[in-house]
Amino acid sequence: YKRKNYLLTISVSMSVEAADREALSCSRPCTPPQASWFEFLLDPSLLEQHLQGPHPDPSPVQLIVQFLEQASKPSVNEQNQVQPPADNRRNRTLKLMALKAAAHLTWDLKVLEKGLTIPVLNMLLNELLCVSRVPPGVKHVDLDLSTLPPTTAMAVLVYNRWSIIRAIHERRQLNQNILPYQCIYFQQGCSDPSVYEKAREHFRMLDSSASFCCVDEQRLAGYWSACKTLTGASDPSESQHTPYGQISCFMRNHDYGISLYIPLIYVCLCVLNDRDRALEEVCHKLCVCNAVRDALEGGVLSVSFHQLLLKPSKNTISFLLEVCARSMDKEHRSETCKRKMALFIKTVCNRLEDVSLAFMVSSHKLFMELLQDEEKKILMEQTRKSSATVNLSAKPLPSFYDIPASTSVNISQLEQQLILSLDPRHIRQILIELQGMAERPFWRVNSKWEVPVDYVNVILAIKDNLTRDLVYILMAKGLHCISIKDFAHACQLFTACLELVTEFSPKLRQVMLNELLLMEVRGHEAGAAEGNMERPPPDLVSRVRGYLEMRIHDLPLRQIVGEECVVFMLNWRENEYLTLQVPQSLVNSNPYIKLGQLIASTCKELPGPKESRRMAKELWEVVVQICSVSSQHKRSSDGRVSLLKLRESSLGILYYNGKILFLLQSVDVEAVVVTLKELVNYALSLNPNNQSWLCTQADIYFGNQYSAAMHYYLQAGTVCSDYFTKPVPPDVYTDQVLKRMIKCCSLLNCHTQVAVLCQFLREVDYMTAFKALQEQNSHDSMDSFYGYIWDVTILEYLTYIHHKRGEGDKRQVAIKAIGQTELNSSNPEEVLQLAAQKRKKKFLQALAKLYF
């Protein structure tokens, strides 16, 4: 009986999927039919034949997903109750075939982690532990692997390699292929050099066992070489074949210029281990070589090089010119390299304060050949002016190593490099140096670094200052790169940020995975916009599905990620998923999927007139609900119009931000903003006193220029109130406008102004006012604004706050404000209103003086 039911289930599934495949093959006759999971269930021998093919479709990773998805589907009993997946022959067979597909990939964790989500990979590895008969109820650390069967030991090793090195370290220390004991010993060697011997022995053992696992041979060779050097066991004859050995040989032969083509890490190791030369001379020469290399690669010149140019010797400049000349002797040097070298020589000329050294550079053949006539003329004139104003009595500058690290010049130079750099390692190094010079939040160095408000609180809650600054800056720079379609640098920055947050915050780790997914989606869409109509890889489609189906547990999510994932599925006609495969519970809870499903259904059912009319009608009703503003809608705190959850609709809440629909993401928003700015500027040039256009101009600047936004909001008030001598009409200073003014003042750290403006609302916002008054880093004049407060509750709170802080003088100012007779609550309403209007007028006039 069970076997009949089992075969009946398979045959029904087979008939449905066969019909789908037949329909698909009719529309695409040239595409070979894709094998389906139930075919392998009916004939398990087909799986090995399929996997042995040159390009199996579906791939092993896709089959793992299909097998485990089918095996984990819940069942429904006779009472129509949902039950956990049954432990029957069908599901056991599916799980076993998933393990066979993974075994075909030789359990390559790199491939599995790239193609599978973490829950699916975790399920797969747990199944491996079950079938390998790992003793239940025993901690893996207590297992003696030597006593276990080979298959059991292999399962324990694979699971723990993934859970420890993959899920926790994320390739942070070495590589997924290097075993933990080698990570550990090499790192401990910094405090106990004798441990390097153990690390060297483990690396040697790993090298001999490389045939049993996948090892990053280049990285292993690097650690092996470093261990041999640090333990004094290096062989001079064999070191000639490694980068470290090459640079050591070049340094012994005084051939420093060749270091242009050697990775910096080997140069640093050689400097530390070269005892035969004066350290200062070696450092100067290598600093010059690195600077020339950075210049040719388009990198940012290091702080060390700028310090060296403060007072270089004649030999240093002579050596610099020699390295520049040798680097340009190569026949393959392009025009781009020549321009980079010309820019580097100009920089050196401008930085040199010693006129004789500047003339030495300007008389070199590279200066004559690479710079344009106008550039040479300007630099020569600057050099002559400098020679005429040299102060011979000036004190000598400190030497290269005597320059204090805390000088403001160094901080400004480092901050400039921090703004320009897109290299995550370089950014981290700069922040380490800055943190050693001054304790302040360096994520505020550039006002254009912006992180979505959904993430700000999570990032700024990081306790370690260096980590907080690094996470914020890496994310802000990555988002900027995406906005200018520089996806290569964005990927580097986001990947580095992911590796960093994985160590301490699962919440931020998921945030970065979401942002990486959004970056890849946008990158693929950008390629399609340029004519590359190649379908997205299955891995990307699978990850988009994973995001849409993700269960949210206290995780900050950006609305735009869900929107663009649905748009991505619609653009690439994943209608089958949106209409049939997406879980109904997800449709009911996610409004973007609901709307996407309606659009996909309408597109899919167009050939059938009756069904398509019903789908189109449902779609149109939803669109009308989103775009309509009626009495059933209300504004949120940031001024957006939100759609309430209507009884007749399961859509939930969608936002309408002045766009027709979230589907219009292909519009060039920046171009629209630029056009709108020009249009408003032109309108204001014709009528500068139009308060509506002034408010629109303020709204444009509200995005990121808060001081300018306040300027135009106040200007809109002045033109309709005769410079605030009359009340501002309520249709000009609406609650929405006032809340934006409050937001601007808050972001400008003018917290007392925030508290005063909270009184202007139709209902006083005490929570925002109290929170603002608790801030101690206010940039406005604080108690000088107390005279503009007419709400006694706020004044009483001020006296409490100042008493608690022991600020007696400010408390007396607040008490004096409370004691004014016109604020007595026993006064008639007309007197109280007159007192409020008088304070409103004076406060707005004071703000106008500040922002105009």
Side-chain angles (χ1 to χ4, degrees):
Y1 176 74
K2 289 183 179 179
R3 179 172 177 81
K4 285 183 179 179
N5 284 343
Y6 171 65
L7 292 175
L8 180 60
T9 302
I10 295 177
S11 63
V12 170
S13 300
M14 180 174 65
S15 61
V16 173
E17 297 201 19
D20 290 342
R21 286 174 50 203
E22 183 179 356
L24 185 64
S25 63
C26 292
S27 60
R28 292 191 233 170
C30 298
T31 305
Q34 188 185 62
S36 188
W37 61 270
F38 61 77
E39 297 181 40
F40 304 108
L41 189 61
L42 292 173
D43 186 359
S45 63
L46 289 178
L47 179 62
E48 186 173 354
Q49 299 175 18
H50 175 80
L51 294 175
Q52 295 297 336
H55 299 289
D57 184 20
S59 66
V61 171
Q62 291 173 316
L63 284 175
I64 292 173
V65 174
Q66 292 180 18
F67 291 150
L68 293 181
E69 181 182 359
Q70 293 297 325
S72 59
K73 278 189 175 180
S75 58
V76 179
N77 61 14
E78 296 177 355
Q79 289 77 32
N80 204 29
Q81 295 174 334
V82 178
Q83 301 293 320
D87 184 18
N88 52 29
R89 179 186 171 192
R90 170 187 178 274
N91 289 346
R92 287 194 297 269
T93 304
L94 286 168
K95 293 176 183 178
L96 185 61
M97 288 194 294
L99 294 174
K100 288 182 178 181
H104 175 76
L105 297 172
T106 65
W107 291 99
D108 189 327
L109 291 176
K110 183 177 181 181
V111 175
L112 292 174
E113 190 178 46
K114 183 178 180 182
L116 302 176
T117 61
I118 289 180
V120 173
L121 183 51
N122 185 49
M123 180 180 177
L124 178 70
L125 291 176
N126 275 291
E127 287 300 325
L128 176 64
L129 294 177
C130 290
V131 301
S132 301
R133 303 194 179 186
V134 175
V138 180
K139 294 182 178 179
H140 289 185
V141 292
D142 298 331
L143 293 174
D144 184 358
L145 297 182
S146 62
T147 63
L148 298 176
T151 53
T152 307
M154 185 276 294
V156 173
L157 286 173
V158 170
Y159 180 84
N160 284 277
R161 278 180 62 201
W162 173 72
S163 61
I164 296 174
I165 302 176
R166 289 285 188 164
I168 300 177
H169 293 289
E170 282 285 2
R171 298 182 293 275
R172 165 75 176 166
Q173 302 205 8
L174 297 179
N175 185 276
Q176 73 273 19
N177 307 315
I178 305 295
L179 295 177
Y181 289 117
Q182 290 88 336
C183 299
I184 294 175
Y185 287 131
F186 191 84
Q187 298 296 329
Q188 290 176 349
C190 299
S191 56
D192 184 4
S194 63
V195 183
Y196 284 125
E197 290 284 355
K198 291 184 179 179
R200 182 168 68 93
E201 180 60 23
H202 278 80
F203 283 126
R204 185 193 63 76
M205 293 167 60
L206 181 62
D207 187 34
S208 63
S209 62
S211 59
F212 300 102
C213 59
C214 181
V215 176
D216 187 336
E217 296 182 359
Q218 290 185 346
R219 184 165 292 209
L220 177 61
Y223 277 98
W224 173 245
S225 176
C227 285
K228 289 195 296 183
T229 301
L230 293 167
T231 57
S234 57
D235 185 353
S237 61
E238 72 172 10
S239 65
Q240 296 291 326
H241 304 292
T242 65
Y244 174 84
Q246 292 174 17
I247 188 63
S248 297
C249 178
F250 295 140
M251 288 175 62
R252 286 194 294 270
N253 296 331
H254 312 284
D255 190 359
Y256 296 94
I258 198 67
S259 68
L260 286 167
Y261 311 105
I262 300 296
L264 183 60
I265 181 62
Y266 299 112
V267 175
C268 295
L269 281 173
C270 291
V271 171
L272 293 173
N273 288 280
D274 191 341
R275 309 299 183 196
D276 300 329
R277 299 192 56 80
L279 183 61
E280 187 173 12
E281 181 186 355
V282 173
C283 284
H284 286 185
K285 290 187 174 182
L286 291 175
C287 181
V288 167
C289 293
N290 291 334
V292 175
R293 181 184 60 191
D294 290 338
L296 291 176
E297 292 178 353
V300 180
L301 299 180
S302 67
V303 176
S304 301
F305 182 69
H306 284 292
Q307 291 176 332
L308 180 61
L309 290 181
L310 290 175
K311 191 177 175 69
S313 64
K314 182 178 179 181
N315 289 337
T316 299
I317 298 301
S318 176
F319 178 74
L320 183 147
L321 294 171
E322 178 189 351
V323 174
C324 290
R326 290 181 60 182
S327 67
M328 298 307 294
D329 282 345
K330 303 292 181 182
E331 295 180 358
H332 66 276
R333 287 300 181 197
S334 62
E335 289 299 320
T336 303
C337 289
K338 291 179 181 178
R339 288 306 303 160
K340 289 178 180 177
M341 180 57 70
L343 180 62
F344 175 70
I345 293 173
K346 283 173 58 179
T347 302
V348 172
C349 264
N350 286 324
R351 294 285 297 168
L352 289 173
E353 296 183 4
D354 190 324
V355 178
S356 63
L357 296 179
F359 277 122
M360 183 176 171
V361 174
S362 61
S363 61
H364 195 270
K365 66 175 184 177
L366 283 179
F367 184 92
M368 301 298 180
E369 294 174 359
L370 298 179
L371 272 70
Q372 299 177 2
D373 292 340
E374 188 64 24
E375 293 174 323
K376 288 186 283 189
K377 181 180 178 181
I378 293 173
L379 284 171
M380 294 294 287
E381 186 64 27
Q382 288 177 349
T383 305
R384 290 192 186 94
K385 287 181 180 180
S386 299
S387 65
T389 58
V390 171
N391 184 3
L392 298 177
S393 63
K395 294 181 180 180
L397 291 170
S399 68
F400 179 65
Y401 287 103
D402 293 335
I403 298 174
S406 60
T407 58
S408 60
V409 176
N410 284 348
I411 290 180
S412 63
Q413 290 173 347
L414 284 170
E415 288 179 343
Q416 184 65 18
Q417 289 195 44
L418 186 64
I419 292 172
L420 296 175
S421 180
L422 291 175
D423 181 2
R425 294 177 181 272
H426 190 215
I427 292 170
R428 181 177 182 275
Q429 185 60 40
I430 294 171
L431 282 173
I432 291 173
E433 295 186 39
L434 285 171
Q435 293 281 357
M437 296 178 183
E439 291 187 6
R440 64 170 186 253
F442 290 101
W443 59 270
R444 295 180 177 174
V445 166
N446 189 350
S447 61
K448 294 184 179 179
W449 287 339
E450 292 185 351
V451 165
V453 292
D454 310 84
Y455 304 154
V456 169
N457 291 336
V458 182
I459 295 175
L460 296 187
I462 299 173
K463 295 182 179 179
D464 181 68
N465 293 339
L466 173 62
T467 306
R468 178 200 62 207
D469 289 352
L470 187 55
V471 171
Y472 189 98
I473 293 171
L474 288 175
M475 181 178 284
K477 284 177 175 282
L479 291 170
H480 172 71
C481 288
I482 291 175
S483 68
I484 61 174
K485 293 183 170 54
D486 183 1
F487 297 107
H489 278 118
C491 184
Q492 293 176 11
L493 292 161
F494 277 175
T495 302
C497 192
L498 173 63
E499 292 180 358
L500 177 63
V501 300
T502 295
E503 296 185 352
F504 64 89
S505 175
K507 186 181 295 186
L508 280 175
R509 179 182 186 273
Q510 189 58 54
V511 164
M512 291 313 305
L513 288 173
N514 295 346
E515 290 299 321
L516 277 166
L517 175 62
L518 179 61
M519 179 202 69
E520 291 188 45
V521 167
R522 287 183 171 174
H524 198 83
E525 296 291 352
E530 295 172 0
N532 180 15
M533 299 309 293
E534 182 180 351
R535 284 192 61 79
D539 167 63
L540 180 56
V541 177
S542 175
R543 287 164 57 206
V544 169
R545 291 185 180 185
Y547 177 83
L548 294 175
E549 298 175 15
M550 180 174 61
R551 295 180 180 271
I552 304 170
H553 298 289
D554 189 28
L555 185 68
L557 293 177
R558 279 214 291 161
Q559 173 182 329
I560 192 68
V561 183
E563 291 178 358
E564 296 207 14
C565 281
V566 174
V567 174
F568 174 84
M569 300 295 278
L570 287 170
N571 282 345
W572 294 102
R573 299 181 182 178
E574 292 287 335
N575 297 336
E576 197 74 17
Y577 171 76
L578 290 172
T579 55
L580 296 178
Q581 298 177 15
V582 63
Q584 187 60 38
S585 59
L586 195 62
V587 175
N588 296 335
S589 62
N590 191 320
Y592 308 110
I593 293 181
K594 172 67 174 178
L595 186 57
Q597 186 187 61
L598 289 172
I599 294 173
S601 299
T602 304
C603 295
K604 183 182 177 185
E605 303 296 340
L606 281 177
K610 291 184 179 180
E611 187 66 18
S612 65
R613 287 181 63 84
R614 183 180 68 81
M615 292 294 181
K617 184 173 182 293
E618 288 185 15
L619 173 61
W620 178 246
E621 288 175 353
V622 171
V623 172
V624 169
Q625 289 174 14
I626 296 172
C627 297
S628 297
V629 180
S630 67
S631 59
Q632 300 184 58
H633 298 73
K634 64 180 181 181
R635 295 184 180 271
S636 58
S637 58
D638 59 358
R640 295 187 296 188
V641 178
S642 60
L643 176 68
L644 297 181
K645 189 171 184 180
L646 304 178
R647 293 179 182 176
E648 65 270 17
S649 170
S650 61
L651 185 65
I653 297 176
L654 278 177
Y655 293 108
Y656 174 65
N657 287 357
K659 303 171 187 173
I660 299 301
L661 275 178
F662 76 92
L663 298 176
L664 301 181
Q665 293 300 324
S666 58
V667 174
D668 190 341
V669 178
E670 291 185 7
V672 173
V673 171
V674 171
T675 305
L676 183 60
K677 280 184 179 180
E678 293 297 324
L679 181 61
V680 175
N681 285 334
Y682 178 70
L684 288 173
S685 68
L686 298 177
N687 186 356
N689 294 328
N690 186 300
Q691 65 262 25
S692 177
W693 293 343
L694 288 168
C695 282
T696 302
Q697 185 79 302
D699 290 340
I700 293 172
Y701 286 113
F702 179 73
N704 55 11
Q705 300 182 44
Y706 307 110
S707 181
M710 281 296 292
H711 171 90
Y712 283 103
Y713 283 133
L714 290 167
Q715 193 171 342
T718 60
V719 299
C720 62
S721 65
D722 197 12
Y723 197 72
F724 299 121
T725 57
K726 303 174 184 176
V728 180
D731 61 334
V732 177
Y733 276 3
T734 62
D735 269 11
Q736 178 184 349
V737 170
L738 290 170
K739 286 181 179 180
R740 291 196 170 190
M741 294 172 70
I742 290 170
K743 185 77 170 179
C744 289
C745 292
S746 177
L747 292 169
L748 292 169
N749 285 335
C750 298
H751 300 296
T752 315
Q753 297 174 21
V754 170
V756 178
L757 282 170
C758 284
Q759 304 173 110
F760 283 60
L761 297 168
R762 288 182 177 85
E763 294 183 6
V764 180
D765 188 350
Y766 289 111
M767 293 301 295
T768 302
F770 293 167
K771 185 177 180 182
L773 293 174
Q774 290 173 4
E775 297 287 344
Q776 293 184 285
N777 63 335
S778 189
H779 291 177
D780 52 23
S781 50
M782 295 186 68
D783 50 337
S784 65
F785 284 104
Y786 291 178
Y788 304 127
I789 301 176
W790 64 87
D791 189 282
V792 177
T793 303
I794 295 178
L795 287 171
E796 289 175 344
Y797 184 77
L798 270 174
T799 61
Y800 164 74
I801 285 290
H802 291 314
H803 174 72
K804 187 177 179 181
R805 295 176 185 165
E807 298 168 343
D809 295 340
K810 294 180 179 179
R811 181 171 179 267
Q812 288 302 318
V813 176
I815 291 174
K816 183 179 178 181
I818 293 177
Q820 297 175 86
T821 56
E822 57 187 347
L823 296 184
N824 193 318
S825 59
S826 301
N827 290 335
E829 185 64 25
E830 296 80 11
V831 175
L832 295 175
Q833 287 295 330
L834 186 62
Q837 289 300 331
K838 182 175 72 172
R839 285 161 176 76
K840 280 185 181 181
K841 177 185 71 173
K842 290 184 177 180
F843 175 68
L844 290 173
Q845 288 173 344
L847 282 188
K849 292 178 182 178
L850 287 174
Y851 291 100
F852 283 0

